[in-house]
Amino acid sequence: MSGNTPNDQRRTLTLRDVSEASGVSEMTVSRVLRNRGDVSDATRERVLEAAKRLGYVPNKIAGALASQRVNLVAVIIPSLSNLVFPEVLSGISEELEESGLQPVFGVTNYSAEREEMVLYEMLSWRPSGVIIAGLEHTPAARAMLENAGIPIVEIMDVDGPVVDSVVGISHKRAGLEMARTIVRAGYRKIAFLGTKMPDDHRARKRLEGFEAGLAEAGIELVDREFYSGGSALLKGREMTEAVLSRNPEVDFLYYSNDMIGAGGLLYCLDHGIDVPGRLGLAGFNGVDLLDGLPRRLATMDACRREIGRRAAAIIAGHSESGVIGGERVELTPVLQPGDTIRQA
Amino acid sequence: MSGNTPNDQRRTLTLRDVSEASGVSEMTVSRVLRNRGDVSDATRERVLEAAKRLGYVPNKIAGALASQRVNLVAVIIPSLSNLVFPEVLSGISEELEESGLQPVFGVTNYSAEREEMVLYEMLSWRPSGVIIAGLEHTPAARAMLENAGIPIVEIMDVDGPVVDSVVGISHKRAGLEMARTIVRAGYRKIAFLGTKMPDDHRARKRLEGFEAGLAEAGIELVDREFYSGGSALLKGREMTEAVLSRNPEVDFLYYSNDMIGAGGLLYCLDHGIDVPGRLGLAGFNGVDLLDGLPRRLATMDACRREIGRRAAAIIAGHSESGVIGGERVELTPVLQPGDTIRQA
DNA sequence: CTGAAAGCGCTAACAA
DNA sequence: TTGTTAGCGCTTTCAG
């Protein structure tokens, strides 16, 4: 019916096809399609017309092999369901938009082993750079990063040794400052609620910093409660109930993230608990979800989008200049006191 | 210091390096590294040892070019911040895990133009398949999909013409059934609240179906309210307030997604509005976030994870069998009445 | 079980 | 401004 010969169907088009269709050498076709070098307008026209008519899509695999250049940036994060990482990704995408680089995402599910596998897989595509969440990697992963010969940016965290560049915040400090703020506000019986964190190193560091901050005032945590999986909002409720029933004297709950904090807040409101008078609450991340709650949960902005942007900018910069050199960007998270910490 | 010659630093390793280090031909090294063909255990050992010692990472670009096989699946979605898509992606990742295929994500921001660009970019890497959200594409994008010669799975929606395979739900029907349920429950003064939807075709179709369902009972929407951007929870509150102040007689609010619905629910609870007696509420998606709210919002599960799984399974199946043929999977979303629709 | 030759589709480098 | 030649690093195919 449609003048297709059988073979038109299954073979994908090559430069050669465009070359033949336009009567121009493959090399010139290549130049036109990449906007490289000088090509006469007439030739350019003919080539573009032919390419479009045929529906030619260049083969980047061949291009990358020949040019030894790949416009991909590997981005490796622990999770997509965390709400935090999509924002980082948005920051990265935005920043990379103009640079001709394309982010490619890999997810580790907070597993160091999976991280190693994903990293291996991605490096085998020879990307122009790697953005990877966290500073904790398996020895093999670290070796791969060190030997990749491309810019590596570790993000989210700055507390520890770094492979190359780093963009993030100090979670220890974030915990520390939250503790000081809480103590200053007069709370004394403080409990922590968070994820089970064998591999969530940032939450762990926040807790460490938090305990250090309490220790400055001679205070120890009254209780801790951990969860994993499930609806964070619901878990926040359940954990809050558990802690309060175990320790009626508790006067502050520090949550490792805003979602469980929001669950706790809703629980308190439901049960007529005076917040922040009788009980103070604080979370972490500064997710804009909180804006719609009946009361604003105290939190600390993790600078997620900014982290993504800055990391991407480092990769884009290096891919232009060709230089590889470790940069260090430590952002300062801002405490958002909200309505759940009483005034000192 | 560390016996590295200068050049060791900047060149990435090739098969040849492993070949020389192990005293085995490149071909045999290749066989070992891919677990292909028969290789003696002794040789295998030597090769693996050498590869590991050198820290060799195969070059998939060259491999893909030579073998004409790429283990990548292009996944194209409108947004990451929508909360809905990360779940689809999880489903895809899970299903692809065992298949040796790797998902690669691209984001369009609900723009058909961007979709076209992203698609072009991804096709130029010659993936083994494409999973793409929605049925609405630019003519050029549609042409690319049709000519790609690989399995294409359009997801989320089944209301319209399809390129190849499709996995999704009928949003028209979802809206229709929600309308019928609401009418059956006795509500009559009904308003719609949703995203501005020039390009959110699924929300548009739900609204169309919803209006059709109301029309069956001779009912017309009392009011509509649209938003874009910002914290969905907060927007839900604001829009709810706006609609209720414009139309005090309204007795039901249908939200185009659960987040704004949750905002509306919180608003009503704050203001002592009798839900579902005086005012009924319903959203769409069935996000598990809702589990933690003071009351469960009526909603309809969009089968997000399942859609991801099924779509991935189609690609994986075809990549094994080599056959390309359109499959059609229509999932049935289940109404979750929650606590915000009164019993008929 | 192992190796040699050819080439995947494109681009760098040079020539015309 | 355009064309020619020689690979990029790997895998396919075929021969030993």
Side-chain angles (χ1 to χ4, degrees):
Chain A
M1 307 286 285
S2 68
N4 283 337
T5 66
N7 285 333
D8 283 2
Q9 298 287 5
R10 296 260 51 83
R11 227 183 87 270
T12 57
L13 271 24
T14 69
L15 263 193
R16 170 178 223 103
D17 296 302
V18 182
S19 164
E20 286 172 358
S22 63
V24 174
S25 78
E26 287 187 39
M27 197 53 232
T28 301
V29 172
S30 170
R31 288 196 182 96
V32 170
L33 264 23
R34 285 178 299 145
N35 285 314
R36 277 268 160 58
D38 297 313
V39 181
S40 73
D41 284 354
T43 314
R44 157 168 285 111
E45 288 292 298
R46 287 170 57 197
V47 169
L48 289 176
E49 186 278 326
K52 179 154 210 174
R53 179 162 48 78
L54 297 177
Y56 172 70
V57 178
N59 185 329
K60 286 221 183 193
I61 296 173
L65 183 61
S67 68
Q68 305 281 52
R69 242 189 295 283
V70 179
N71 69 336
L72 261 26
V73 177
V75 179
I76 300 176
I77 55 174
S79 160
L80 278 175
S81 43
N82 192 303
L83 191 55
V84 165
F85 296 103
E87 277 198 65
V88 178
L89 300 186
S90 299
I92 293 173
S93 300
E94 282 174 30
E95 189 68 30
L96 251 33
E97 200 101 323
E98 301 298 287
S99 70
L101 293 171
Q102 268 239 332
V104 179
F105 309 126
V107 176
T108 69
N109 295 320
Y110 287 100
S111 147
E113 270 188 33
R114 268 198 73 77
E115 182 186 86
E116 185 181 316
M117 291 174 48
V118 170
L119 179 61
Y120 183 82
E121 198 71 16
M122 301 197 110
L123 284 182
S124 73
W125 287 100
R126 301 288 188 266
S128 296
V130 175
I131 297 177
I132 186 167
L135 307 178
E136 285 75 18
H137 317 290
T138 65
R142 174 168 278 270
M144 284 192 262
L145 290 171
E146 281 166 350
N147 297 324
I150 53 177
I152 309 293
V153 186
E154 291 166 284
I155 58 170
M156 313 301 282
D157 187 8
V158 301
D159 296 325
V162 152
V163 171
D164 177 15
S165 296
V166 63
V167 179
I169 64 173
S170 165
H171 288 263
K172 266 195 189 137
R173 189 120 69 81
L176 187 80
E177 289 192 2
M178 186 56 92
R180 286 176 179 161
T181 301
I182 291 168
V183 170
R184 212 179 305 127
Y187 297 100
R188 290 296 176 270
K189 305 288 191 183
I190 301 166
F192 177 89
L193 301 83
T195 46
K196 283 208 181 67
M197 44 182 87
D199 291 300
D200 187 345
H201 299 283
R202 290 178 288 288
R204 195 199 70 223
K205 288 171 185 176
R206 284 200 296 281
L207 176 53
E208 285 172 16
F210 190 72
E211 293 193 272
L214 296 185
E216 292 176 348
I219 300 175
E220 280 194 4
L221 279 179
V222 171
D223 196 4
R224 302 139 193 259
E225 176 84 12
F226 299 98
Y227 81 105
S228 63
S231 159
L233 217 49
L234 186 56
K235 288 292 179 184
R237 279 177 181 272
E238 294 170 357
M239 293 198 296
T240 301
E241 175 155 43
V243 168
L244 292 181
S245 67
R246 265 203 308 268
N247 311 91
E249 82 280 16
V250 157
D251 65 3
F252 201 97
L253 301 176
Y254 180 41
Y255 297 86
S256 80
N257 69 63
D258 284 341
M259 287 304 286
I260 55 174
L265 174 58
L266 290 174
Y267 175 87
C268 292
L269 296 181
D270 276 5
H271 291 259
I273 297 173
D274 169 21
V275 175
R278 152 83 188 78
L279 185 67
L281 304 173
F284 181 82
N285 267 339
V287 300
D288 67 358
L289 182 81
L290 299 182
D291 292 347
L293 294 179
R295 220 165 294 184
R296 281 177 312 148
L297 181 69
T299 187
M300 215 171 221
D301 181 10
C303 314
R304 302 173 300 285
R305 184 172 299 260
E306 178 73 5
I307 286 177
R309 286 186 155 289
R310 300 291 288 268
I314 290 177
I315 302 283
H318 284 164
S319 101
E320 275 175 22
S321 69
V323 184
I324 301 184
E327 295 188 31
R328 180 183 180 86
V329 179
E330 178 171 350
L331 269 28
T332 307
V334 179
L335 181 81
Q336 299 170 345
D339 312 314
T340 61
I341 300 182
R342 67 172 172 252
Q343 299 307 310
Chain B
M1 306 286 285
S2 69
N4 284 338
T5 65
N7 285 334
D8 283 3
Q9 298 286 5
R10 296 262 49 83
R11 228 183 87 272
T12 56
L13 271 25
T14 70
L15 262 191
R16 171 178 219 103
D17 295 302
V18 182
S19 163
E20 286 171 358
S22 62
V24 174
S25 78
E26 287 186 41
M27 198 51 238
T28 300
V29 173
S30 170
R31 287 199 182 93
V32 171
L33 263 23
R34 286 178 299 145
N35 284 314
R36 275 274 159 54
D38 297 312
V39 181
S40 73
D41 284 353
T43 317
R44 156 168 283 108
E45 288 292 302
R46 288 170 57 199
V47 169
L48 288 177
E49 185 278 327
K52 179 153 211 170
R53 179 162 47 76
L54 298 178
Y56 172 69
V57 177
N59 185 330
K60 287 223 181 189
I61 297 175
L65 183 61
S67 67
Q68 306 281 53
R69 245 189 294 281
V70 179
N71 69 337
L72 262 24
V73 177
V75 180
I76 300 178
I77 55 174
S79 159
L80 279 175
S81 43
N82 192 303
L83 191 56
V84 164
F85 297 104
E87 276 197 64
V88 178
L89 300 186
S90 299
I92 293 174
S93 300
E94 282 174 31
E95 189 69 30
L96 251 33
E97 202 102 322
E98 302 298 287
S99 70
L101 292 171
Q102 267 240 332
V104 179
F105 308 126
V107 175
T108 69
N109 295 319
Y110 287 100
S111 147
E113 270 188 34
R114 268 199 73 78
E115 183 187 85
E116 185 182 317
M117 292 174 48
V118 170
L119 179 62
Y120 184 80
E121 198 73 16
M122 301 197 109
L123 284 182
S124 72
W125 286 100
R126 300 288 187 267
S128 296
V130 175
I131 298 176
I132 186 167
L135 307 179
E136 285 75 18
H137 317 290
T138 65
R142 174 168 277 270
M144 284 192 263
L145 290 170
E146 282 166 350
N147 297 323
I150 52 177
I152 309 293
V153 185
E154 291 166 284
I155 58 170
M156 312 300 283
D157 188 7
V158 301
D159 297 325
V162 153
V163 171
D164 177 16
S165 296
V166 63
V167 180
I169 64 173
S170 166
H171 288 262
K172 266 195 190 138
R173 188 119 70 81
L176 187 79
E177 289 192 1
M178 185 57 91
R180 286 177 178 161
T181 302
I182 291 168
V183 170
R184 212 179 306 125
Y187 297 100
R188 289 297 177 268
K189 305 288 187 184
I190 301 166
F192 176 88
L193 300 82
T195 47
K196 282 209 180 66
M197 44 183 85
D199 292 301
D200 187 344
H201 300 282
R202 290 177 289 288
R204 194 199 71 223
K205 289 171 184 175
R206 286 199 295 281
L207 176 53
E208 285 172 16
F210 190 71
E211 293 193 271
L214 296 184
E216 292 176 348
I219 300 176
E220 280 193 4
L221 279 179
V222 172
D223 196 3
R224 302 139 193 258
E225 177 84 13
F226 300 98
Y227 81 105
S228 62
S231 159
L233 217 47
L234 185 56
K235 288 292 178 183
R237 279 176 181 273
E238 294 169 358
M239 293 198 297
T240 301
E241 174 156 44
V243 168
L244 291 181
S245 67
R246 265 205 305 270
N247 311 91
E249 82 280 16
V250 158
D251 65 4
F252 200 98
L253 301 176
Y254 180 42
Y255 296 86
S256 80
N257 69 64
D258 283 342
M259 287 303 285
I260 55 174
L265 175 58
L266 290 174
Y267 175 88
C268 292
L269 296 180
D270 277 5
H271 291 260
I273 297 172
D274 169 22
V275 174
R278 152 83 187 78
L279 184 69
L281 304 173
F284 181 84
N285 268 338
V287 301
D288 66 359
L289 183 81
L290 299 182
D291 293 346
L293 293 180
R295 220 165 293 183
R296 280 176 313 147
L297 181 69
T299 188
M300 211 169 224
D301 182 10
C303 314
R304 303 174 298 286
R305 182 173 300 261
E306 178 73 3
I307 286 176
R309 286 188 155 290
R310 301 291 288 270
I314 290 178
I315 302 282
H318 284 165
S319 101
E320 276 175 21
S321 69
V323 184
I324 302 184
E327 295 188 30
R328 179 183 181 88
V329 179
E330 177 171 349
L331 270 28
T332 307
V334 179
L335 182 80
Q336 299 169 345
D339 313 312
T340 61
I341 300 182
R342 65 171 174 252
Q343 300 306 312

